[in-house]
Amino acid sequence: MSEAKTIVSAFFENVRSGKNLQAAYEFMHEQVIAHQVQSEDEYTITRSPKDYIEHVEEMQELYGQFELIIQEIVADENKVYVRWKQIGQTDKNKAIIQIASAVYLVERGKIAEYWIQIDRKGIENQCQ
């Protein structure tokens, strides 16, 4: 397994899953560029490990301790593509499934940048 794929896999297992949030400092640079798409609008934000921890904590507040299933992970040198399914619950015990994918750029042994797409309309439809 490539170093980049090992790093991103461990990031998902520990941080993105919510199991070991403090490991964000181990897997992410101090500033990570995050390219996102929302309603066909592309925008970029910068996230620190602390910001990312807060992001996952927000998801845990909304959906409880969710299950994260990596459906596909493919590496090409220092870029890693991941497609996953996240299964949580609303406060009314209704299942919420999120389907997402991202490409992560690993530089100097840590995540430096990523491009993410999430099926936000699917989440919206499930919350109705």
Side-chain angles (χ1 to χ4, degrees):
M1 187 181 299
S2 74
E3 178 187 19
K5 188 174 180 181
T6 299
I7 290 165
V8 173
S9 294
F11 170 77
F12 265 77
E13 176 65 31
N14 289 280
V15 182
R16 183 61 183 76
S17 68
K19 294 177 183 174
N20 180 7
L21 293 174
Q22 293 305 310
Y25 294 95
E26 179 183 338
F27 296 109
M28 299 174 73
H29 281 282
E30 288 183 24
Q31 296 293 310
V32 175
I33 300 167
H35 306 274
Q36 303 184 22
V37 177
Q38 192 166 25
S39 299
E40 304 306 321
D41 181 30
E42 296 179 57
Y43 63 98
T44 301
I45 62 172
T46 303
R47 286 211 162 139
S48 67
K50 181 181 181 290
D51 297 332
Y52 201 87
I53 289 168
E54 290 170 358
H55 171 63
V56 175
E57 287 173 338
E58 288 173 5
M59 286 188 286
Q60 290 173 324
E61 287 176 23
L62 288 171
Y63 308 119
Q65 184 53 54
F66 52 83
E67 178 183 9
L68 188 69
I69 302 163
I70 293 179
Q71 296 178 311
E72 184 174 18
I73 184 165
V74 179
D76 184 11
E77 296 184 18
N78 64 340
K79 286 189 176 177
V80 181
Y81 167 81
V82 184
R83 180 171 41 86
W84 68 91
K85 179 189 288 191
Q86 177 177 307
I87 305 167
Q89 291 184 343
T90 66
D91 56 356
K92 298 176 184 173
N93 289 327
K94 181 179 177 185
I96 297 291
I97 298 172
Q98 175 194 84
I99 304 291
S101 63
V103 174
Y104 292 85
L105 174 66
V106 176
E107 293 180 333
R108 300 179 318 280
K110 293 187 176 187
I111 295 169
E113 191 168 0
Y114 62 90
W115 296 259
I116 187 167
Q117 293 185 313
I118 299 171
D119 179 15
R120 295 186 193 279
K121 185 65 175 176
I123 295 170
E124 180 184 315
N125 288 344
Q126 294 173 71
C127 291
Q128 294 177 358

